[in-house]
Amino acid sequence: MAFLSTSPGNNALGGADIAAGAISGGPERFKLSDGETSIGRHPDCHIVVDAGPVSRFHAKVIGEGQAFTVHDLGSRNGTYVNGQRLTTPHVLREGDRIRISDIEFVFHGNSVPQFASGHSSEVTFSGSHFGIVMTDEEPESSRSIAPRVKYEKSADGLKMRATAEAKLEALLKINRNLGSALAVDDVLPKILDSLFAIFPSADRGFIVMQTDDDQLQTRWVKTRQRSDETQTVRISRTIIRRVISTGESILSFDAMEDSRFDSSESIADFSIKSMICAPLGDADGRKFGAIQIDSTQGRGQFVEEDIDLLSGVATQAGIVITNAQMHEQALKQQEVEQDLRLATDVQKAFLPQTPPKTIGWEFDSFYRAANHIGGDYYDYIPLPDGRVAVVVADVVGHGVAAAMFMAKLSAETRFCLASESNVSKAIECLNDRMSELEVESFVTFLMVVIDPNEASVTIVNAGHMPPIVRRQVDGEIVEPGKEQSGLPIAIMGGMEYEAVSVPIEPGDFLLLYTDGINEAMDAKDQEFGIEAIRALISKAGETTSIKDRIVEAVLRHIGDAPPFDDMCLVAIRRTERPHEGDARSVSTVDTIGEDDLKTSGR
């Protein structure tokens, strides 16, 4: 006959209730005799210890006369004798210590151990007695676990619980750890590490969060298994979705028999015995995830008070996770803004840095993107024969995508104009090349070609507003080339475009602009309007003064309203006639007047 003797004392391992003797208040002794005494979590064992890291059949002691030998039964976490992991059977000697998980057994072969009242922390076994000891010294090999626990007796064996002191210390540690965490991936493991200290019976824990498309994503998992072992952790979506949708925590003493889960997938497939699951939410009460801890070691590993404890931790964790997400979003936003500032500098480099120095002509311009970078575009492009092409274009939309399309347009425009001297053919080439990109975008495009040796300009329009021209002689306002406008660039390949020639006398003024100017909105959603632009141009002045007058009026109209669209304009003024004898003998286009516009020959 054998006896298991437990100590009535506690205060071991830094003050935790550690002895099974706390179960009944008195010692229990198990006498060892010849034969086998098994130790493990299975109810058929002679000594039942139902704790997370203890295997079903963990170890055994075999008695043969006066000799007793301890054997490890292939346990997951090992059996230790005097601090060394047991690999072969060990013949026990007086005072030998056997450690299984957090429990130490002390072997006495010569006398029955006596238990003093008060603070004894030993339960021993010997040739006549066998018991359990927990000491204030933490074995080196157990420090990765090191929970501060007490063991409570139940019908299923010993249950491992964290003491009140251990729970308080873990909660304070959560406060410290979470208070300093600024990244979600730093927060999550700290939460689970602290929960494993509070719930020593937990075999695994995990945090699941919803994605933007309402899918469940496992963000972090922790198990008590050894690091060199692998295991597939399966998670029940039924439990997680139930907790998130109801916003209520779930405690199940035996999930396999829980009727709340019968209508869904078999919880038995997940090997869950006992579990607690609590929702994660932000400060506004929106639930976005859940924390679950569970045990596969037997029913009843958690008690009613545990659900309040986990719910409290989950509430705090949810707010900290939300704050960490906001912090990460703020960092990402800073990176985006930095990239946009760099992109703004790059886009400015695409735009002309100085106006062309063309004898007899003045140029001025204004550009302002709605959001850092824009889809409006203008350029002064010198042509091989001394002409200058002034281009204003507007990519549909604005922002990064429009700016990228604009960059491509800029390069292709220069290439096509350098490859083809006939400007209408060059724009047809440009349209074909941009259409081949098959990007769901298009560009309104206006080009005015200036020949310093001619008293006229050539206009090619692809779906853009025509230039506004003010005559110096009589102040007349005309908008030539409207009827000859073709489709915007990149809508369809194979299009033909027409070039028209407009006479320009000294003092005449031209304005090329995008719809961000005439459609500029004030706080009451009222447009600035083309009539306002015409009125401002009708007043005489120098090129720069007219441009500044228009820009100031538009900005004053907008006021404090947010930018509606990118804004771009180019002001051009002819200052003198070409010198006598400089005119070319052959013109590539026919000259037309304001009242009798004709398409150019090709």
Side-chain angles (χ1 to χ4, degrees):
M1 179 177 292
F3 296 90
L4 172 63
S5 186
T6 59
S7 169
N10 48 40
N11 198 34
L13 206 62
D17 293 336
I18 46 76
I23 299 167
S24 60
E28 300 176 42
R29 297 187 179 93
F30 288 78
K31 183 179 180 181
L32 295 178
S33 57
D34 287 349
E36 178 179 307
T37 300
S38 57
I39 308 171
R41 186 168 42 81
H42 197 279
D44 291 341
C45 290
H46 296 94
I47 302 172
V48 178
V49 181
D50 195 350
V54 179
S55 297
R56 292 162 58 84
F57 293 94
H58 199 105
K60 64 181 179 181
V61 177
I62 298 178
E64 297 179 357
Q66 297 299 313
F68 291 86
T69 307
V70 60
H71 302 251
D72 182 75
L73 298 179
S75 61
R76 182 175 64 178
N77 291 299
T79 302
Y80 292 81
V81 176
N82 299 326
Q84 300 296 318
R85 185 163 183 164
L86 190 64
T87 57
T88 59
H90 175 81
V91 178
L92 294 169
R93 294 184 293 272
E94 179 71 22
D96 277 353
R97 293 174 177 265
I98 303 171
R99 183 173 62 81
I100 295 175
S101 181
D102 300 304
I103 304 170
E104 280 195 352
F105 301 89
V106 178
F107 178 76
H108 294 277
N110 299 324
S111 61
V112 176
Q114 301 297 319
F115 300 101
S117 62
H119 299 287
S120 171
S121 61
E122 292 193 358
V123 183
T124 64
F125 69 91
S126 67
S128 29
H129 295 85
F130 181 34
I132 303 173
V133 64
M134 294 292 287
T135 69
D136 289 328
E137 297 178 359
E138 181 183 4
E140 191 70 28
S141 58
S142 70
R143 289 182 181 171
S144 61
I145 302 173
R148 298 169 59 182
V149 299
K150 61 183 177 181
Y151 289 84
E152 297 179 355
K153 189 174 183 180
S154 72
D156 301 315
L158 298 180
K159 303 295 182 184
M160 192 161 51
R161 311 278 187 229
T163 64
E165 292 88 347
K167 291 178 180 178
L168 178 59
E169 181 178 337
L171 289 174
L172 292 174
K173 187 176 181 181
I174 289 177
N175 282 329
R176 291 194 300 269
N177 287 341
L178 299 189
S180 60
L182 295 177
V184 174
D185 287 342
D186 291 337
V187 172
L188 304 184
K190 291 179 179 179
I191 293 172
L192 292 180
D193 288 344
S194 300
L195 288 177
F196 269 44
I198 296 174
F199 300 102
S201 293
D203 286 325
R204 63 179 195 166
F206 49 82
I207 297 175
V208 176
M209 295 168 59
Q210 283 183 321
T211 60
D212 293 337
D213 57 355
D214 201 33
Q215 299 298 310
L216 295 179
Q217 180 183 24
T218 305
R219 293 296 303 272
W220 211 269
V221 176
K222 181 178 176 65
T223 64
R224 288 196 190 275
Q225 66 181 12
R226 291 169 56 86
S227 59
D228 58 350
E229 295 180 0
T230 58
Q231 176 183 351
T232 299
V233 177
R234 300 183 64 201
I235 299 172
S236 169
R237 285 186 172 85
T238 299
I239 296 174
I240 299 297
R241 290 200 181 279
R242 180 187 181 97
V243 168
I244 294 175
S245 62
T246 62
E248 298 177 355
S249 301
I250 290 179
L251 168 63
S252 181
F253 296 109
D254 191 343
M256 295 173 61
E257 302 295 331
D258 200 320
S259 61
R260 290 174 292 182
F261 312 131
D262 284 349
S263 60
S264 61
E265 75 250 27
S266 174
I267 301 300
D269 292 343
F270 296 85
S271 302
I272 299 173
K273 297 296 195 314
S274 302
M275 52 77 61
I276 315 177
C277 188
L280 292 169
D282 56 23
D284 297 326
R286 181 186 66 86
K287 307 305 179 186
F288 60 85
I291 301 177
Q292 180 173 316
I293 57 171
D294 55 45
S295 173
T296 61
Q297 306 303 321
R299 71 183 309 277
Q301 294 294 335
F302 307 111
V303 295
E304 288 287 350
E305 65 183 39
D306 291 339
I307 194 171
D308 294 331
L309 186 57
L310 183 62
S311 297
V313 172
T315 298
Q316 180 186 10
I319 295 174
V320 173
I321 289 173
T322 302
N323 291 339
Q325 289 175 327
M326 294 174 62
H327 177 72
E328 290 180 349
Q329 291 172 358
L331 292 179
K332 290 179 180 178
Q333 183 62 32
Q334 289 178 3
E335 293 178 0
V336 170
E337 291 178 354
Q338 176 65 19
D339 288 343
L340 287 175
R341 283 192 290 269
L342 294 175
T344 301
D345 294 338
V346 172
Q347 186 175 54
K348 288 180 179 178
F350 279 114
L351 302 176
Q353 305 303 306
T354 58
K357 299 184 182 302
T358 303
I359 296 175
W361 294 84
E362 292 179 347
F363 304 86
D364 203 354
S365 60
F366 171 78
Y367 187 94
R368 175 172 158 179
N371 298 313
H372 289 288
I373 55 178
D376 283 6
Y377 159 65
Y378 81 97
D379 203 356
Y380 306 118
I381 304 173
L383 301 182
D385 54 4
R387 294 176 297 165
V388 175
V390 181
V391 176
V392 169
D394 184 0
V395 179
V396 62
H398 47 83
V400 176
M404 294 177 67
F405 202 67
M406 181 274 282
K408 178 65 173 175
L409 177 72
S410 172
E412 293 292 348
T413 300
R414 286 180 169 264
F415 171 81
C416 292
L417 288 173
S419 304
E420 175 59 61
S421 61
N422 185 306
V423 292
S424 60
K425 294 291 186 181
I427 302 310
E428 290 171 7
C429 172
L430 173 65
N431 177 63
D432 290 341
R433 294 176 69 89
M434 295 300 292
S435 297
E436 289 173 358
L437 299 177
E438 296 184 352
V439 176
E440 293 185 2
S441 186
F442 62 87
V443 187
T444 62
F445 184 96
L446 176 63
M447 180 173 67
V448 174
V449 179
I450 297 172
D451 188 338
N453 297 317
E454 295 289 342
S456 62
V457 297
T458 303
I459 300 172
V460 180
N461 193 338
H464 199 82
M465 290 86 66
I468 300 177
V469 179
R470 178 182 61 78
R471 299 299 185 189
Q472 172 69 15
V473 175
D474 54 9
E476 182 184 12
I477 301 293
V478 295
E479 298 177 28
K482 182 184 299 185
E483 295 180 358
Q484 289 76 27
S485 176
L487 286 177
I489 301 295
I491 287 183
M492 181 186 303
M495 300 299 299
E496 293 185 355
Y497 293 91
E498 297 179 289
V500 296
S501 181
V502 179
I504 298 295
E505 298 296 330
D508 287 356
F509 176 87
L510 298 87
L511 181 73
L512 289 65
Y513 61 99
T514 63
D515 58 9
I517 299 294
N518 60 290
E519 294 179 0
M521 297 281 192
D522 64 9
K524 298 179 180 179
D525 291 337
Q526 294 179 340
E527 291 185 356
F528 183 71
I530 294 179
E531 288 300 327
I533 298 175
R534 291 169 179 156
L536 291 168
I537 292 177
S538 65
K539 300 177 182 179
E542 300 297 322
T543 307
T544 300
S545 65
I546 298 176
K547 182 266 298 183
D548 290 343
R549 192 160 60 216
I550 295 172
V551 171
E552 290 172 3
V554 171
L555 296 180
R556 187 167 54 250
H557 174 79
I558 295 173
D560 296 330
F564 172 76
D565 198 357
D566 306 324
M567 293 188 292
C568 174
L569 63 82
V570 175
I572 307 171
R573 181 172 172 269
R574 186 178 175 191
T575 59
E576 60 183 61
R577 292 181 181 274
H579 296 295
E580 186 176 348
D582 288 344
R584 294 182 302 179
S585 59
V586 179
S587 176
T588 57
V589 295
D590 295 332
T591 301
I592 59 175
E594 306 94 277
D595 301 323
D596 185 24
L597 296 177
K598 298 185 296 181
T599 59
S600 65
R602 260 191 285 230

